[in-house]
Amino acid sequence: DTGVSQDPRHKITKRGQNVTFRCDPISEHNRLYWYRQTLGQGPEFLTYFQNEAQLEKSRLLSDRFSAERPKGSFSTLEIQRTEQGDSAMYLCASSLGGFRGLAGEDTQYFGPGTRLTVL
Amino acid sequence: KQEVTQIPAALSVPEGENLVLNCSFTDSAIYNLQWFRQDPGKGLTSLLLIQSSQREQTSGRLNASLDKSSGRSTLYIAASQPGDSATYLCAVRRLRGGSQGNLIFGKGTKLSVKP
């Protein structure tokens, strides 16, 4: 399977604990995105990387959240001191991110998501 | 601020019907618009991407149109099947301002196709 993969698929944690999620993008994709989705809502942007550089962070990404993409390949999203309001599906996507404006470059491909439940 | 709205929120149709899902956005300065499908508890599957310079895209029984000036897109599904049951999301990528790379999503239309 050469699609976007995420690990774990489900995570249940107690309030105050730290959690870390991993995303492996499609191998040749240089852009990687993190989104958060709550029930009945569309995904909301959190942050994105071009190669290893974190180019944009949403205001949703409080100081308890940190994301890395150390070698421009896989990425991790860590949430410290989790709160019940952090319960959501965390989605990762990747794209080729070319500069010619072609559909094949811009299309974002999503992983299956990590569902976080904070008790 | 870009806002994306999808109407209706839910739709139930009998198998075989043709149907249209609507998406509107408040800022016409978009780079492209993408339609996704999401099955319950799963990630998103990309269906069609329309660049801002294009009017429509087709894939199989799906046809997406874009009217950038009026801030609207439609997803047409021909000859619907029970397997089409899912939530359909549209998302726009902004042309300018911050966060150009990310997508802004609507809340989706939940489609149910009855056999």
Side-chain angles (χ1 to χ4, degrees):
Chain A
D1 184 11
T2 58
V4 178
S5 62
Q6 292 187 246
D7 184 70
R9 296 290 304 277
H10 303 273
K11 179 71 177 178
I12 299 174
T13 191
K14 293 183 179 179
R15 189 178 55 183
Q17 298 294 307
N18 300 341
V19 294
T20 300
F21 310 140
R22 176 179 170 125
C23 171
D24 286 90
I26 294 171
S27 59
E28 64 267 27
H29 285 186
N30 58 10
R31 285 191 179 175
L32 186 147
Y33 311 79
W34 285 100
Y35 293 84
R36 181 174 71 183
Q37 186 179 27
T38 54
L39 200 61
Q41 303 294 314
E44 295 175 294
F45 169 75
L46 293 178
T47 187
Y48 95 95
F49 294 83
Q50 173 103 6
N51 300 312
E52 66 275 9
Q54 189 173 17
L55 296 187
E56 185 68 30
K57 292 195 290 187
S58 162
R59 284 172 290 180
L60 292 175
L61 212 67
S62 75
D63 56 6
R64 296 185 297 107
F65 288 70
S66 62
E68 293 183 343
R69 194 182 183 197
K71 296 182 180 179
S73 56
F74 73 92
S75 175
T76 58
L77 177 67
E78 181 183 16
I79 308 175
Q80 296 182 328
R81 305 180 303 281
T82 53
E83 302 173 356
Q84 288 184 325
D86 297 332
S87 295
M89 175 80 89
Y90 289 83
L91 294 163
C92 174
S94 70
S95 70
L96 196 53
F99 300 97
R100 294 171 292 175
L102 299 177
E105 295 173 345
D106 288 343
T107 300
Q108 292 188 22
Y109 296 90
F110 281 75
T114 293
R115 180 165 295 285
L116 172 67
T117 302
V118 182
L119 303 175
Chain B
K1 178 187 173 187
Q2 177 72 273
E3 292 183 358
V4 179
T5 303
Q6 291 187 248
I7 294 173
L11 181 64
S12 182
V13 300
E15 182 177 3
E17 271 204 9
N18 303 325
L19 59 101
V20 174
L21 307 180
N22 297 293
C23 172
S24 62
F25 45 95
T26 54
D27 186 349
S28 62
I30 64 168
Y31 194 77
N32 58 44
L33 182 146
Q34 200 167 351
W35 282 93
F36 294 89
R37 168 189 173 134
Q38 186 173 33
D39 292 288
K42 301 290 179 63
L44 280 65
T45 301
S46 177
L47 298 174
L48 290 164
L49 182 147
I50 310 176
Q51 299 290 8
S52 62
S53 58
Q54 296 175 321
R55 298 285 292 181
E56 65 178 342
Q57 283 286 335
T58 298
S59 176
R61 294 182 294 109
L62 305 180
N63 176 277
S65 68
L66 174 64
D67 184 343
K68 197 174 65 168
S69 61
S70 67
R72 293 182 182 181
S73 176
T74 61
L75 179 67
Y76 175 83
I77 303 177
S80 58
Q81 302 171 357
D84 294 332
S85 299
T87 295
Y88 291 80
L89 295 151
C90 79
V92 299
R93 179 181 164 191
R94 280 189 281 191
L95 183 60
R96 54 175 175 256
S99 303
Q100 289 183 37
N102 74 79
L103 298 175
I104 300 169
F105 284 84
K107 293 183 179 181
T109 294
K110 186 175 182 180
L111 173 65
S112 176
V113 181
K114 307 291 187 184

